[in-house]
Each structure stands twice: as structure tokens, then as C-alpha cells.
């Protein structure tokens, strides 16, 4: 299988290694491809510069769009999740390519629920912030295209090199929110890559999946667990928001992904952060 990973960065590189090990011919597209894993064929191109996409590898069987925003502002999110995707779809069309599947890494930010509600792939998507709106626009752009497509809505990604939460607890900078539970949804980088590879191989996938681990966890539970493992005092409590709500609190269900046959490497934050703390 000839696979293009567009925006081959943190998640894309882990996915590229997995697919190459499985015998796929993998092409990694990014602005500076010199840091790609061994065995991945580099494509130096910029998703925001249409002219650089004129010579994509021919006869692609699948495309995975794993680009991420360069910064946390609306322009950066629009560029990464809408303009870049539109340019890539246009390039595939111009080159008369017919990949059997295009996968898009989206985000649970497409949900606006914030009172601890459960959400799944059928739940209302009414994002409150620019990040969710831009990612949702990218989803809609792809799903409305002529290509067989599917979307994986990822929770907060952590893993090797992404240990901000651990370091904030270790340093004493982490804070607990007073008031009602603040539910968080996350997924280890290796499970991001594993889920994408799994969905790529399904014969008849559904169009949308939630990519989160098996335990939407109250932030208090996660921070206390980390403090205990690190041997440091638990974080201090900060006042609750004026409206009494925890912004962004929701519980995302991964039942559809599990029903498709995927089995998590790190089913909860305990296994994932435990591996990081032990150097794994």
C-alpha cells in the first residue's frame, strides 16, 4: 500500500513508523522532512503553498492528514485544518489521484458541551471556540469531497516529549479547580498512531470515530495520581470560575472505536503516564 502522511509531525511520524513496519510504502510530507523516521520517503512541501503540491507521489492508495496548527490562534487553525486540507484535496484532484481512503485527525474541541455530559460520534457539534470551529470546518470539507473519507476526533495528546502535565505537578505549578468535576479526555501518541493504522485497514469503517482512551477522568484524580507517583504534595486548589462551571468539561466515549476492534496500548492515563514516568 502506498500511503501519504500529510503534515508528518508528532503523531504522523509515529504512524509512519508503524505503517512502514507493516510493509507499507510511506511518504512523509512536511516543510522540512529531514527529521523523518528511517525508511520514510520524504516529500518537501508546504500544505499552504499549492505550487509545492504539484508533484505528489503517484498512485496513492491512502492519505492521512495529520497536520497541526503552528500556533493557538484562529488564523493558524484555519490555515492548518481548512486551507491546507483544501489545497491537498485540490492537488489530488488535479493529478487525477483516487486514493481508496483519506483520514483526517480532528479534535474533541468540536463539542461545545461543558457540564460533564457524555458525548459520542452522534452528539451535537457546536464548538464554543475558534479551534473547534476550524477543525469542524475541516471535517465538513473532507466529508463533502468525492473521496472515501473518515475522521478521528482526538482528545488531548500526550506521550514522549509531551510531559507538560507531569512537569507542572513536579514543579508545584499545577492547580486544582474548585467546584464540580472537570472531566478531561486524552490519548497517548502511540494509540493515536495505532488507531489511525487500525482504521486504515478496516473494510467498511464508519465516517467518524472518537479517539480517546477508556477513562474520561476528573482532573483532580489525574493530578493527585501524578503527585503521588512523583512523591510531591498534591496541587493547591484555585477558586472556581464565577459561573461555577468547569470550562470544557465533558466525557467522550470511545465505544465505536472499541467495537471496531481496536485495543488500546494505554487504556487509561495510569498506563500512559506510568510508562512515561518509568522512562518508557
Amino acid at each position: 500500500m502506498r500511503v501519504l502522511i500529510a503534515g508528518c509531525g508528532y503523531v504522523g511520524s509515529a504512524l509512519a513508523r508503524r505503517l512502514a513496519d507493516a510493509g507499507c510504502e510511506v511518504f512523509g510530507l512536511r516543510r522540512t522532512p529531514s527529521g523523518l523516521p528511517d525508511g520514510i520517503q520524504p516529500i518537501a512541501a508546504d500544505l499552504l503553498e499549492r505550487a509545492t503540491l504539484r508533484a505528489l507521489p503517484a498512485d496513492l492508495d491512502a492519505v492521512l492528514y495529520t497536520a497541526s496548527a503552528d500556533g493557538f490562534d484562529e488564523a493558524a487553525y484555519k490555515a492548518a485544518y481548512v486551507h491546507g486540507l483544501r489545497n491537498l484535496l485540490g492537488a489530488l484532484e488535479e493529478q487525477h489521484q483516487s486514493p481508496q481512503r483519506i483520514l483526517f485527525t480532528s479534535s474533541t474541541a468540536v463539542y461545545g458541551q461543558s457540564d460533564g455530559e457524555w458525548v459520542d460520534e452522534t452528539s451535537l457539534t457546536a464548538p464554543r471556540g475558534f479551534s473547534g470551529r476550524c477543525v469542524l470546518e475541516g471535517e465538513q470539507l473532507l466529508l463533502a469531497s468525492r473521496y472515501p473519507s473518515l475522521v478521528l476526533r482526538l482528545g488531548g495528546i500526550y506521550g514522549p516529549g509531551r510531559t507538560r502535565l507531569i512537569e507542572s505537578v513536579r514543579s508545584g505549578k499545577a492547580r486544582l479547580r474548585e467546584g464540580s468535576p472537570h472531566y478531561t479526555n486524552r490519548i497517548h501518541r502511540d494509540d493515536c498512531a495505532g488507531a489511525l493504522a487500525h482504521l486504515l485497514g478496516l473494510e467498511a469503517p464508519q465516517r467518524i470515530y472518537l479517539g480517546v482512551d477508556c477513562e474520561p477522568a476528573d482532573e483532580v484524580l489525574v493530578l493527585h495520581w501524578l503527585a503521588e507517583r512523583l512523591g510531591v504534595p498534591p496541587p493547591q486548589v484555585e477558586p472556581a470560575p464565577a459561573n461555577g462551571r468547569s470550562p470544557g468539561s465533558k466525557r467522550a466515549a470511545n465505544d465505536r472505536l472499541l467495537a471496531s476492534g481496536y485495543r488500546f496500548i494505554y487504556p487509561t492515563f495510569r498506563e500512559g503516564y506510568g510508562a512515561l514516568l518509568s522512562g518508557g
Side-chain angles (χ1 to χ4, degrees), residues 214-273:
C214 301
E215 184 180 346
D218 183 358
E219 190 173 47
V220 171
L221 176 64
V222 178
L223 295 180
H224 271 278
W225 185 88
L226 284 172
E228 183 177 349
R229 288 295 302 269
L230 290 167
V232 300
Q236 297 180 14
V237 177
E238 64 181 10
N243 61 9
R245 297 179 179 179
S246 298
S249 177
K250 54 184 171 284
R251 288 176 280 182
N254 66 4
D255 300 48
R256 180 177 289 184
L257 183 59
L258 291 175
S260 75
Y262 184 67
R263 295 295 174 262
F264 278 79
I265 304 166
Y266 303 105
T268 76
F269 70 88
R270 298 174 188 82
E271 293 84 3
Y273 281 121

Side-chain angles (χ1 to χ4, degrees), residues 51-81:
T52 67
L53 302 173
R54 289 175 179 164
L56 297 176
D59 302 320
L60 290 169
D61 297 302
V63 175
L64 296 105
Y65 193 90
T66 60
S68 58
D70 288 338
F72 191 68
D73 58 66
E74 187 165 3
Y77 268 71
K78 193 89 167 182
Y81 295 103

Side-chain angles (χ1 to χ4, degrees), residues 4 39-40 49 71 109 129 178-179 183-184 186 216 219-220 254 273 280:
L4 173 67
I40 308 306
E49 297 292 338
E178 188 180 57
Y183 291 102
T184 56
R186 56 181 53 79
E219 190 173 47
V220 171
N254 66 4
Y273 281 121

